[in-house]
Amino acid sequence: MTELASAAGGLNDRLTELLENVEARLQAAVRSPEPDIDELTRHLAAAGGKRLRPALCGLTSFLGPDAANAETEISATVVELTHLATLYHDDVMDDAPMRRGVVSAQQLAGNSAAILAGDVLFAKASSLVAQLGPEAVKLHAVTFERLCFGQLRETLGAPDDVSPRDNYIHVLAEKTGSLIAASARYGVLSSNGSPEHADAVAEFGERVGVAFQLADDVIDIMSDGDVTGKTPGTDLREGVETMPILLLKERAAAGVIDEDGQRILDLLAGDLGDDTVDESVALLRGHEVMDDVRALAREWSDSAIDVLDPIPDGEVKDGLVAFARLMVDRIS
């Protein structure tokens, strides 16, 4: 996560060293004694990744007097293990063929094995967090619960009294924002920082998580799969209504949808074969609704920065602002 380390100015070297230590801890944690299981539990960690959550945990630790210590390293490893576990489960639910430029775990070993491998990583994260005391254990449990609720909300759909757009934002806050929020809070807790700072960076993390996922909604449509390691239109293939589709449906309900927008909705209401999804992706790439989603992502990124008032000016705050900007700069 070199961009965040650089944005942290004088903290760059210490943050980089911490992340190197976390990477070593992570690679050790995903190892299993049996070769077949080891290959599966190491699969996604070995494929790499941005390590956004460990980087955020390391950065916020500098708000406390005991920054970048062993507890910070363990906390950062816990959040990345938890994130990896969710990816195993997500790929089963989405039937995604690729993840991080490699074949997904369920394609490699089947759905049951992939789910169990994800469970192993959750267990390893739980074992590590037990070293950090009751408050850290409770935070991990609450975050895990929110991750599951977010997936359930996405699977079951919006309740009758909640709009699809509001329900979707709630899903993003739970599925993505909750773990980023926990990452930020863990950094402050691990370094004995103040509760006020912990609360501020957690709220920041939750909002950044929503911005991050809205940006991913754009990337899912606009990006080159050979570059991102993800198949364009993966969510469409699985019938998942991300923000671009929800905004098109709002336009249709208001009677202001254009011809291309209606064509996209008609296509997605039918057989979701490769040709259908490919045409939908092509139409979406040229549709103005993608600009609306970009704008929403930036609004959430800006709102995350707005809650940082309790954080003192300096390298940590600068790094957090850069982190929020980074979430949406990738869709410019």
Side-chain angles (χ1 to χ4, degrees), residues 35-318:
D36 289 348
I37 297 175
D38 181 64
E39 179 183 6
L40 192 55
T41 56
R42 287 191 302 111
H43 182 62
L44 286 185
K50 301 180 184 69
R51 308 295 191 247
L52 292 173
R53 294 153 189 83
L56 181 58
C57 181
L59 179 62
T60 59
S61 77
F62 289 97
L63 292 170
D66 303 318
N69 58 28
E71 288 195 6
T72 308
E73 292 179 9
I74 294 171
S75 299
T77 305
V78 165
V79 296
E80 188 65 13
L81 277 171
T82 303
H83 174 56
L84 287 172
T86 67
L87 297 184
Y88 280 75
H89 291 175
D90 283 351
D91 285 347
V92 169
M93 297 191 72
D94 296 342
D95 196 27
M98 299 288 292
R99 171 70 72 172
R100 294 182 172 177
V102 299
V103 63
S104 58
Q106 95 278 1
Q107 293 289 330
L108 186 70
N111 285 348
S112 296
I115 290 170
L116 290 168
D119 291 345
V120 168
L121 297 185
F122 273 127
K124 288 176 178 286
S126 298
S127 179
L128 283 176
V129 81
Q131 301 176 38
L132 303 177
E135 187 174 7
V137 170
K138 182 177 180 181
L139 175 56
H140 187 249
V142 169
T143 303
F144 186 22
E145 180 184 49
R146 292 193 66 200
L147 289 167
C148 294
F149 270 123
Q151 189 63 66
L152 280 168
R153 288 180 189 278
E154 180 178 84
T155 302
L156 297 176
D160 292 340
D161 59 343
V162 178
S163 74
R165 187 203 290 221
D166 288 346
N167 185 71
Y168 186 65
I169 293 296
H170 197 168
V171 167
L172 301 189
E174 293 193 323
K175 278 190 62 177
T176 302
S178 64
L179 187 54
I180 297 178
S183 302
R185 186 181 292 276
Y186 269 127
V188 178
L189 294 179
S190 71
S191 61
N192 296 308
S194 74
E196 181 184 26
H197 288 167
D199 289 344
V201 298
E203 180 62 27
F204 165 86
E206 181 125 347
R207 297 184 185 199
V208 160
V210 175
F212 178 87
Q213 195 57 59
L214 288 170
D216 258 14
D217 286 354
V218 175
I219 291 170
D220 182 58
I221 301 299
M222 304 298 293
S223 67
D224 183 344
D226 292 336
V227 174
T228 63
K230 295 174 67 176
T231 305
T234 294
D235 291 322
L236 301 183
R237 285 178 168 81
E238 293 308 306
V240 176
E241 294 185 345
T242 57
M243 189 57 76
I245 306 307
L246 294 176
L247 294 183
L248 285 178
K249 286 194 168 185
E250 286 185 1
R251 292 183 180 200
V256 294
I257 195 166
D258 62 358
E259 183 177 344
D260 283 348
Q262 188 59 56
R263 172 63 177 167
I264 293 166
L265 294 182
D266 291 344
L267 285 166
L268 296 178
D271 178 31
L272 295 178
D274 288 343
D275 290 345
T276 298
V277 173
D278 290 346
E279 183 179 350
S280 300
V281 168
L283 288 170
L284 278 167
R285 285 176 172 175
H287 200 282
E288 64 182 9
V289 75
M290 301 308 297
D291 290 332
D292 294 343
V293 182
R294 290 185 182 93
L296 280 173
R298 292 189 178 95
E299 286 176 16
W300 278 92
S301 176
D302 290 342
S303 77
I305 294 170
D306 289 343
V307 301
L308 290 176
D309 284 347
I311 306 302
D313 291 339
E315 293 168 333
V316 174
K317 190 169 189 175
D318 291 345

Side-chain angles (χ1 to χ4, degrees), residues 2 4-21 62 68 315:
T2 55
L4 182 55
S6 298
L11 303 178
N12 185 1
D13 290 345
R14 293 181 66 189
L15 186 54
T16 299
E17 180 182 1
L18 179 139
L19 291 175
E20 289 172 352
N21 293 341
F62 289 97
E315 293 168 333

